[in-house]
Amino acid sequence: RGQSWAEPEEGAMAEESPVSGVPEELLGMVNKNAVPTQKGLPIHPKLVASINYMATNQLQEQAINNTAEKYLAPENCISLNVPAVNNPIWGNMSPSIRSQEVKL
């Protein structure tokens, strides 16, 4: 078995979490460089529920297409567009993953 970035170097002993078996060093790295972001004012609870639902559930493809046709990106906002794909990464993805990504 090859060594992954999460495994300690040969001969080194990494203390493991008693629950998950994940090295404590890795658990510490997860939040090491994270910084809190400033937050704006709260939004309407129904909008929050809709956003949370859409972020965790798949939209119907026809609904996505209809919305994209109805609401075009403004011509004076070049940064608002469909993200481009990193071709080397795209080429290494399985067809099923690519299909999921296209729907995002």
Side-chain angles (χ1 to χ4, degrees):
R1 183 177 100 162
Q3 181 176 341
S4 76
W5 65 273
E7 293 176 344
E9 292 181 17
E10 190 173 322
M13 295 297 293
E15 188 175 326
E16 290 188 353
S17 167
V19 175
S20 65
V22 176
E24 288 291 333
E25 177 184 9
L26 179 59
L27 293 173
M29 288 173 35
V30 173
N31 292 324
K32 181 180 179 181
N33 295 314
V35 294
T37 56
Q38 292 184 331
K39 305 284 189 251
L41 296 173
I43 59 176
H44 193 281
K46 287 185 178 181
L47 183 55
V48 171
S50 291
I51 291 169
N52 289 338
Y53 182 81
M54 288 188 311
T56 57
N57 294 280
Q58 185 174 350
L59 295 173
Q60 293 179 0
E61 191 168 341
Q62 186 61 43
I64 294 169
N65 293 338
N66 290 344
T67 303
E69 290 173 9
K70 185 176 178 180
Y71 301 102
L72 300 175
E75 66 181 34
N76 64 344
C77 189
I78 60 172
S79 296
L80 183 62
N81 58 14
V82 176
V85 174
N86 182 321
N87 287 325
I89 292 174
W90 188 256
N92 287 322
M93 296 171 105
S94 70
S96 63
I97 297 296
R98 279 189 256 173
S99 175
Q100 292 173 17
E101 288 295 315
V102 166
K103 293 177 182 178
L104 291 176

